[in-house]
Amino acid sequence: MSTANSDNDLQTPILDSESAQLLQAVSQHGGYAYVSMAARAAAGDLRAAEAAREMAWEQLHSGPWHSVLPVWRDAYSMACLHVAKVHAIAGEFSDALRALDMGLIMGGPLLKPDLHSLVAIVSAKARAPRVSEKQQQCPKSDRRLVPDDLDSKELLGVLPTKSLSCKMVLKRSGLSLEGFLREYLLPGYPVIISDGMGHWPARTKWNDMDYLTRVAGDRTVPVEVGKNYLYPEWKQELITFSQFLERIKANGPSSTAPTYLAQHPLFDQINELRDDICIPDYCFAGGGDLRSLNAWFGPAGTVTPLHHDPHHNVLAQVVGKKYIRLYLASLSEELYPYTETMLCNSSQVDLDNLDEKEFPKMRDLEFLDCILEEGDMLYIPPKWWHYVRSLTTSLSVSFWWSEYGSS
């Protein structure tokens, strides 16, 4: 099979035009061994390509991420392209896609168009009709991530104490941009918008396991494993999206180590899923800039602990349901934030096991909460504290944006 696939359709025009300049920059930063390996990799030497990638990988992990020289991120992308091309020519499409995804996840911006181009080509080759007998025999309803016949009482039984007993977040339909700006964004107050994403293809496509497997199954994604990032057992892994979907189906609500995809720029990586969503017009209210577009996918029982974020946020619920509790930004002292710099936006309070003796200021603290249903979008103002629990398997998208003139 290694001779059956030509490299004629594996074109990398940016790599071809920028390679010499990039290698010169790498040399200027002491990467002579990398340059030597990259030259051999360009000629189709897989071992050299892997060696170059490993050298760049070591540079990416030589210190804090913000201190990594941009040239090494682009060098990592270059090596990933070389590795992927060798595998693709040999017909090893899964290995090729994994290398390309690692370039997209960890690499720099210079070669991203080439990475995306090869992903499209290799994915098309890998998608040759291969529907398993299990899928052919499986009723369509069993291929849904979230069934229709869920017991609402059972879902609500897992909520933190006092849930749905105070003020509820107001739900609005037909909310104009002017109304959103005047009534919610400028005052800094949450609102649920119930009819803002009915036109998204994701609303009908993402509850279908077969669709998600077809467009993203072979792609490599970073996932988190464990109750949440505040627990010592928490860890990160790289797995294929198909493996992730199978873990979601296998994880029950009481799982002690759920697998979930959190705050990952999935849509920069997988164009087919990006095409299924739209940036809400509300994100342009105030004349600011979109800062990030992230995916939050996970099984029932996935919890994001009480924390706050620096930007305006619209959380769009595409599949499943979530419970969300919100506290005013002004209540930070009462919510016992961690003193460590890395966790100062997170609360020490575990709402699922609240100890009012340890955290007495929480006893009568007011909050807003809601059940975010499929098709709802929740606006969360900057610095508002929020806790999130998936009541079912849940696929959500968050849009962060800043106000005009803010850094």
Side-chain angles (χ1 to χ4, degrees):
M1 192 169 186
S2 61
T3 60
N5 292 284
S6 168
D7 63 351
N8 291 337
D9 54 352
L10 301 175
Q11 301 300 312
T12 51
I14 298 176
L15 175 62
D16 296 342
S17 64
E18 300 291 336
S19 179
Q21 187 173 350
L22 177 55
L23 290 175
Q24 182 180 9
V26 171
S27 294
Q28 291 172 351
H29 289 93
Y32 306 111
Y34 174 92
V35 172
S36 175
M37 289 296 106
R40 291 166 53 186
D45 186 329
L46 179 58
R47 287 188 177 181
E50 292 283 13
R53 186 168 66 161
E54 183 63 28
M55 292 175 191
W57 179 265
E58 290 177 0
Q59 292 295 325
L60 297 185
H61 293 80
S62 61
W65 182 250
H66 63 80
S67 69
V68 175
L69 293 173
V71 67
W72 281 112
R73 294 185 62 195
D74 288 328
Y76 184 77
S77 295
M78 171 188 275
C80 287
L81 281 168
H82 288 317
V83 170
K85 290 178 78 170
V86 176
H87 281 305
I89 291 169
E92 298 161 349
F93 302 129
S94 293
D95 292 330
L97 280 173
R98 181 177 176 84
L100 294 169
D101 277 322
M102 291 305 296
L104 288 168
I105 294 169
M106 301 294 292
L110 177 64
L111 300 175
K112 277 199 171 182
D114 282 354
L115 289 164
H116 279 301
S117 176
L118 288 199
V119 162
I121 293 167
V122 175
S123 293
K125 294 176 181 291
R127 273 180 209 151
R130 54 183 180 181
V131 179
S132 68
E133 289 183 9
K134 178 180 178 182
Q135 289 180 350
Q136 289 176 333
Q137 297 170 357
C138 198
K140 189 67 176 178
S141 60
D142 290 344
R143 300 298 296 169
R144 292 172 63 83
L145 279 174
V146 180
D148 296 324
D149 55 345
L150 293 171
D151 186 336
S152 296
K153 290 184 178 179
E154 183 178 344
L155 295 180
L156 300 181
V158 298
L159 299 183
T161 182
K162 300 181 182 178
S163 294
L164 306 177
S165 64
C166 297
K167 297 179 181 178
M168 300 285 288
V169 180
L170 186 64
K171 183 177 289 194
R172 294 285 301 272
S173 63
L175 183 60
S176 67
L177 276 178
E178 180 185 358
F180 172 72
L181 182 66
R182 182 181 64 251
E183 298 175 44
Y184 300 102
L185 188 136
L186 292 178
Y189 205 72
V191 64
I192 295 172
I193 302 162
S194 63
D195 55 357
M197 49 191 284
H199 58 294
W200 290 15
R203 288 279 289 112
T204 55
K205 291 181 175 181
W206 286 9
N207 201 17
D208 183 349
M209 287 270 287
D210 292 335
Y211 172 76
L212 294 174
T213 300
R214 186 171 71 253
V215 302
D218 292 325
R219 307 298 300 276
T220 296
V221 293
V223 298
E224 302 180 12
V225 181
K227 186 171 180 180
N228 62 60
Y229 61 85
L230 298 177
Y231 278 69
E233 298 83 8
W234 176 88
K235 62 181 180 178
Q236 294 176 299
E237 295 180 4
L238 288 164
I239 61 177
T240 66
F241 202 77
S242 285
Q243 291 172 322
F244 172 58
L245 292 175
E246 290 304 322
R247 289 196 194 182
I248 283 183
K249 294 292 285 185
N251 280 151
S254 58
S255 174
T256 57
T259 298
Y260 50 96
L261 193 154
Q263 202 168 336
H264 173 54
L266 184 70
F267 311 107
D268 289 342
Q269 182 187 349
I270 304 180
N271 288 333
E272 293 92 335
L273 295 179
R274 174 64 181 85
D275 292 340
D276 289 338
I277 64 174
C278 305
I279 299 174
D281 290 342
Y282 302 105
C283 297
F284 301 104
D289 299 315
L290 191 70
R291 290 304 181 97
S292 66
L293 170 58
N294 289 323
W296 303 79
F297 295 0
T302 302
V303 169
T304 302
L306 192 60
H307 71 288
H308 68 75
D309 300 310
H311 300 298
H312 297 278
N313 180 11
V314 161
L315 180 64
Q317 189 63 22
V318 182
V319 174
K321 301 181 180 184
K322 282 183 169 174
Y323 170 80
I324 301 174
R325 180 179 292 191
L326 303 113
Y327 293 88
L328 282 162
S330 60
L331 296 176
S332 287
E333 183 179 338
E334 289 83 353
L335 294 173
Y336 303 89
Y338 282 93
T339 56
E340 298 95 320
T341 302
M342 291 292 290
L343 294 175
C344 64
N345 73 324
S346 298
S347 170
Q348 300 177 58
V349 178
D350 181 357
L351 288 180
D352 293 309
N353 299 283
L354 179 58
D355 185 343
E356 292 187 348
K357 291 183 179 179
E358 184 178 3
F359 304 110
K361 296 177 184 177
M362 292 291 298
R363 183 171 294 114
D364 298 313
L365 212 56
E366 288 192 354
F367 57 83
L368 298 175
D369 62 358
C370 65
I371 303 295
L372 201 63
E373 307 277 355
E374 286 189 8
D376 286 346
M377 298 192 303
L378 172 65
Y379 167 61
I380 304 174
K383 299 296 183 72
W384 272 64
W385 293 80
H386 48 288
Y387 159 99
V388 184
R389 171 180 280 272
S390 295
L391 301 178
T392 67
T393 295
S394 170
L395 308 185
S396 311
V397 182
S398 65
F399 303 84
W400 280 10
W401 78 98
S402 58
E403 294 182 43
Y404 176 75
S406 63
S407 57

